[in-house]
Amino acid sequence: MMCPLCAAPTGTTRGYGRTFYACPLCGHLFTRDYDETQLRRGMGMEGSWSGPGGGGYREYCLVKILEQLCGMKSFLLFGTGNTPTLARLLAEGVDVVGCDISPDVVAYKKSVHGEERFDQPDALPGGRLFDGIVAVEVIEHFVNPLESFGLLFSCLAPEGIVAGTTDFYPGGPIEDANRYMSHKGHVAYWSQASLQTVAARFDRSVTAFEMVRPGSILPDEKFRLLWPNKRVFFMHGRGENGRRLRALHHDMDILDINMP
Ligand SMILES: [Zn+2]
């Protein structure tokens, strides 16, 4: 199996009864053991662990960070599912569009917010460019990462930023306390190095932060232990927005996104 990012031959490792492929060059870790139907269906109206109509707090926080830090005005919530984030931001007057792979979610959101406010990923290259694209717990579902990131960057304004969350592979065994890669829909286990490899293809860099686990309060001397692999990442260019994110990271490498 070749690495989908740099075409190097990969080695294999096992976890949760699945075979994973590890690239010796860029560190990308991925599996081809997944259910195609499930991957195409997405999370549907039920959502994931947050349940129907729940979750979305991280998406909301990332939009606020991009608004406040970079003065961004237009946003795409990529893979937002049935969270209330789109409705919440629209009620605040934010220019935001939602997108999800689940046909039932697309139909429902279009009926509530209008045809122009929600789309399938395939329908996105419609000439609209967004300042910020937010993809929370999405990129671990990318089977063809260059294609999927290509879609995202094709919808991004020149100084735009792609932001999201995922678990970063810390090295060592695949299996961990959070059982992140046991989920059949999770096919890519990213790291700073492999995400940076993708970013470089699109002339971008990655700045990543640790995230406070829900219920933890800063300052908390133990919080680094509470959600060890979760990362908030920003893929940005070399311009002013990239400098702002690097400066933020210099000041604090943990983001206080502390609700579920
Ligand atoms: Zn590679």
Side-chain angles (χ1 to χ4, degrees):
M1 187 71 70
M2 298 294 191
C3 173
L5 305 185
C6 57
T10 56
T12 60
T13 181
R14 299 275 297 171
Y16 305 109
R18 311 166 87 187
T19 297
F20 290 85
Y21 303 93
C23 176
L25 289 187
C26 73
H28 189 46
L29 196 63
F30 61 100
T31 180
R32 290 289 179 257
D33 176 10
Y34 58 89
D35 179 346
E36 182 75 31
T37 314
Q38 187 192 12
L39 216 61
R40 291 196 165 281
R41 196 178 57 225
M43 298 292 188
M45 291 293 284
E46 285 297 309
S48 54
W49 56 273
S50 52
Y57 184 78
R58 287 186 217 162
E59 294 179 295
Y60 183 83
C61 281
L62 288 176
V63 166
K64 293 293 133 185
I65 288 170
L66 293 175
E67 276 183 340
Q68 288 158 18
L69 190 69
C70 304
M72 290 187 170
K73 301 287 185 206
S74 66
F75 300 92
L76 172 65
L77 305 178
F78 189 84
T80 185
N82 190 22
T83 72
T85 318
L86 179 69
R88 185 176 178 186
L89 289 168
L90 286 172
E92 291 181 10
V94 179
D95 182 11
V96 58
V97 170
C99 168
D100 200 79
I101 202 167
S102 308
D104 50 350
V105 171
V106 176
Y108 172 71
K109 296 283 184 178
K110 278 180 177 290
S111 74
V112 174
H113 300 295
E115 282 290 318
E116 299 300 310
R117 286 292 164 197
F118 215 90
D119 262 321
Q120 297 259 16
D122 294 354
L124 276 178
R128 280 177 300 187
L129 295 181
F130 301 94
D131 295 334
I133 298 180
V134 172
V136 165
E137 300 301 303
V138 170
I139 66 171
E140 62 275 10
H141 300 274
F142 286 175
V143 177
N144 302 304
L146 288 182
E147 194 178 295
S148 296
F149 277 108
L151 174 65
L152 294 184
F153 284 108
S154 75
C155 302
L156 197 63
E159 287 302 313
I161 288 174
V162 173
T165 67
T166 192
D167 275 23
F168 271 9
Y169 176 54
I174 302 269
E175 299 191 7
D176 72 331
N178 295 329
R179 300 181 58 79
Y180 197 66
M181 295 310 289
S182 68
H183 189 294
K184 271 286 195 179
H186 290 183
V187 297
Y189 205 177
W190 294 96
S191 61
Q192 177 93 26
S194 61
L195 201 56
Q196 177 57 45
T197 301
V198 175
R201 289 291 190 97
F202 299 94
D203 202 23
R204 300 299 208 286
S205 298
V206 176
T207 298
F209 298 75
E210 291 192 60
M211 200 182 92
V212 176
R213 191 181 173 103
S216 174
I217 295 166
L218 284 172
D220 173 350
E221 63 193 15
K222 288 195 296 185
F223 68 78
R224 277 180 185 275
L225 302 175
L226 293 176
W227 206 325
N229 300 342
K230 189 62 72 192
R231 293 294 183 278
V232 186
F233 65 85
F234 296 85
M235 302 168 89
H236 54 79
R238 280 181 283 245
E240 186 57 33
N241 288 339
R243 279 194 288 277
R244 288 177 172 130
L245 273 159
R246 287 210 171 94
L248 179 66
H249 190 266
H250 184 264
D251 291 343
M252 54 179 200
D253 57 358
I254 300 155
L255 287 185
D256 188 13
I257 300 176
N258 67 359
M259 275 175 66

